[in-house]
Amino acid sequence: MNEINRIIKSLGIVFGDIGTSPIYTLTVVFLMVPKTESNIMGVLSLVFWTLTILVSLEYAWLAMSLGKKGEGGTIVLKEILASKLKSKRQIIFITFLTFIGVSLLVGDGVITPAISILSAVEGIHLIPEFSHTAQLTLIIIASVIAIGLFAIQKSGTEKVGKSFGPLMILWFTSLAVSGIAGIILYPKVFLSINPYYGIKFFLNNGLEAFFVLSEVLLCATGGEALYADMGHLGRKPIINAWFYFVFPALLLNYYGQGAFLITHPETNIALFGMIFNQSAALYIPFLILSIIATVIASQAMISGMFSIVYQGITTHIMPLFKVDYTSAEMRSQIYIGFVNWFLLICVLFIMFIFKESSKLAAAYGLAVTGTMSLTGIMLTWIFYMKKNYIKSLIALIITFVDFTFLISNTYKIPHGGYWSIIIALLPLCMILIYTEGQKKLYLSLKAMPLATFLEKYNEAYKHMNKISGSALFFARDIQKMPPYIARTMFNHHIIYEDNIIVSISKQEEPFGISFDFKEKISNGLRVFEIRMGYMEVIEVEEILKKAGIEEKSIFYGIEDINTENIIWKIFAAIKNLTPSFVQFYKLPPNKLHGVITRLEI
């Protein structure tokens, strides 16, 4: 019973994006090529093999066989691969690939709700009373839905989320049933499973067929969520949901749409046209259900973005954005305000720029194929390092397919695809500036070697008047003391009877929290170490209480950066606009003392 519940949950969390692709995929494909029987059979063949190769093989089979404590995603692949590489240059290369992958996912995350919600709302046009509704009105309706969706994020979606799975069961069942009703019109569509029809489509349409691949790819958008969301529910429920329910329902619907288009080539909106033709009475309920499904798909994307950014924060590639917890029971449910409102602004901007879902499709797919190609490279490399040469060869072939789709998507760049690149460049530039800035900052701070620090500390502790109680100081690496600690103790003459250096370190595993006192390194000087998985959400104050630490004061460093370089000015602005270390971990403000260090970089 528990396994069934997990499968149902996975439908709401994992498959919303790929599950709403039938709303627009065939519609935009047949804006590029005529709706002849031969073309429709060829496109259906391409849809089948795209879902099989990119989703079933690349993600459900290869990627999901890899993980750390059941967790998946781009950053997990990077951690697995980096642990096997010995060359520093290779690690730098794979780290840069990860930066690109994370940035592309953000770009993808903006377009997903825009195209999904707008394409569903456009189904209103088929209702006779609303057939002449202005496109601007539809954009406003879609925008209101998007604003409402993003506005509820801060309050948490735990209660609403419980209904996502059952609603998606209804959605996929509707897709399957309507697909079967469509197939009855032309049962021969099942022959399109044969790759001969896809090859014939290429032979008949030449270069045009190659660019059609960029729209066929839309059927697989959201496939990466199978691996990225593996940690939420486990591998088995997601795979079972995909192979036994989602994949068959999608194929039945695509075949049904294809059969309907062969018998009704005048139809412009494939899915909604088919539903309206099958039952005008059920059309409005189905339209409402489709809008709900797109909201669920968008919700899964937003939650995924929060998770990706949080991974970026804990792996030190992104700034310390303010994080709120929206569930007392589930610590993994988080809200990051900056990310939420950044995504909303981008989604509304994209809707008003492109105006129609068919035009929006021109920007969609580039980021997806980029992410899939990077995943393919890392999978090939990991299996090769593991000496699993068969899987490595299969992954290499799949990577070639990924790159074929990526190249076909390049034609979208001048037609709006550049927005996908621009959106992805924003987080990429932020990551590069932040990571390089942190390195520069670390070098400029000139940390004091532990031996030198202890020599000065012992002298000061012996002769200075000490304050009663305990004081906390934070240092990432105990062997290199941050200058603010030396300044506090030796320049400002602030030494407590009990001085505790707290070190928070990221582990290679995604989950797990451990903490303990290390050996006392000198009189009145102890080290307390917190070790956390890079996906853990921790409360430092709670951990300190569990360890029996009752501090009177908490000292932390503040860097005042002075620079003439425009890049480092941006870095300084990022540091000023995002919370400090102690604010991020929500330490008690009445105990905090910031020690400023002025730096020239």
Side-chain angles (χ1 to χ4, degrees), residues 261-564:
L261 289 174
I262 289 171
T263 53
H264 299 79
E266 72 286 352
T267 304
N268 292 322
I269 307 176
L271 177 62
F272 290 126
M274 178 176 74
I275 299 295
F276 191 82
N277 181 269
Q278 289 170 352
S279 175
L282 292 175
Y283 181 75
I284 291 178
F286 180 83
L287 179 63
I288 293 168
L289 180 61
S290 70
I291 293 172
I292 292 170
T294 58
V295 168
I296 291 171
S298 302
Q299 174 60 55
M301 178 280 303
I302 297 167
S303 300
M305 285 298 105
F306 291 160
S307 180
I308 288 166
V309 172
Y310 187 77
Q311 286 180 48
I313 292 169
T314 58
T315 51
H316 308 300
I317 68 171
M318 287 188 178
L320 299 172
F321 295 117
K322 186 175 183 288
V323 177
D324 294 310
Y325 312 114
T326 60
S327 169
E329 290 77 29
M330 294 181 66
R331 299 290 295 159
S332 60
Q333 288 204 4
I334 56 176
Y335 168 79
I336 304 176
F338 173 82
V339 176
N340 190 65
W341 301 119
F342 170 78
L343 289 174
L344 175 59
I345 290 167
C346 290
V347 166
L348 296 178
F349 176 77
I350 285 291
M351 281 184 181
F352 280 92
I353 282 287
F354 286 91
K355 296 182 173 59
E356 297 175 19
S357 62
S358 57
K359 291 178 181 176
L360 228 168
Y364 202 30
L366 201 58
V368 180
T369 50
T371 302
M372 289 178 170
S373 299
L374 293 173
T375 300
I377 291 170
M378 287 197 270
L379 289 175
T380 305
W381 205 341
I382 290 168
F383 286 122
Y384 180 79
M385 297 294 287
K386 284 175 169 278
K387 296 185 178 178
N388 191 332
Y389 299 121
I390 293 174
K391 279 190 174 181
S392 182
L393 178 61
I394 294 169
L396 182 63
I397 294 168
I398 291 171
T399 305
F400 174 77
V401 175
D402 288 331
F403 272 98
T404 303
F405 276 102
L406 179 61
I407 294 166
S408 75
N409 268 273
T410 56
Y411 108 95
K412 291 183 173 183
I413 293 173
H415 301 288
Y418 57 86
W419 280 114
S420 182
I421 297 172
I422 290 170
I423 293 166
L425 277 174
L426 293 174
L428 179 61
C429 289
M430 183 194 66
I431 290 169
L432 292 174
I433 291 170
Y434 182 74
T435 51
E436 289 304 307
Q438 288 291 86
K439 288 177 191 173
K440 192 92 171 172
L441 190 62
Y442 183 75
L443 292 172
S444 301
L445 281 170
K446 296 176 183 174
M448 185 179 289
L450 181 60
T452 307
F453 175 84
L454 286 176
E455 190 179 321
K456 290 189 173 188
Y457 170 82
N458 289 331
E459 187 67 23
Y461 194 80
K462 189 187 296 182
H463 296 104
M464 281 173 50
N465 291 326
K466 291 171 280 295
I467 304 168
S468 64
S470 299
L472 301 184
F473 301 85
F474 288 90
R476 189 180 297 176
D477 182 1
I478 192 65
Q479 296 301 319
K480 296 177 180 178
M481 284 292 184
Y484 86 88
I485 300 179
R487 184 173 288 106
T488 302
M489 292 183 176
F490 311 142
N491 292 9
H492 303 319
H493 306 295
I494 299 172
I495 292 186
Y496 280 69
E497 289 177 347
D498 182 28
N499 301 280
I500 303 171
I501 311 294
V502 180
S503 171
I504 301 175
S505 61
K506 171 187 72 73
Q507 303 299 292
E508 289 188 355
E509 300 296 330
F511 293 106
I513 301 171
S514 60
F515 51 87
D516 53 40
F517 277 103
K518 312 310 283 184
E519 289 182 21
K520 190 166 74 169
I521 56 177
S522 190
N523 288 331
L525 186 63
R526 298 186 286 168
V527 176
F528 182 71
E529 191 175 275
I530 300 172
R531 295 168 295 276
M532 58 178 282
Y534 57 84
M535 289 195 67
E536 283 288 0
V537 179
I538 66 167
E539 280 198 25
V540 173
E541 191 179 11
E542 193 177 295
I543 290 172
L544 295 173
K545 283 180 181 176
K546 283 182 181 177
I549 297 172
E550 293 291 337
E551 74 284 349
K552 283 178 71 175
S553 297
I554 301 172
F555 293 89
Y556 66 100
I558 300 173
E559 295 84 24
D560 181 19
I561 301 168
N562 185 40
T563 180
E564 295 301 319

Side-chain angles (χ1 to χ4, degrees), residues 74-99:
T74 304
I75 292 177
V76 171
L77 281 181
K78 178 253 180 184
E79 295 287 332
I80 294 170
L81 186 53
S83 67
K84 296 183 178 299
L85 297 174
K86 294 177 182 177
S87 164
K88 190 174 181 181
R89 188 174 292 180
Q90 288 179 333
I91 292 173
I92 290 170
F93 173 69
I94 205 67
T95 301
F96 182 66
L97 284 186
T98 305
F99 292 171

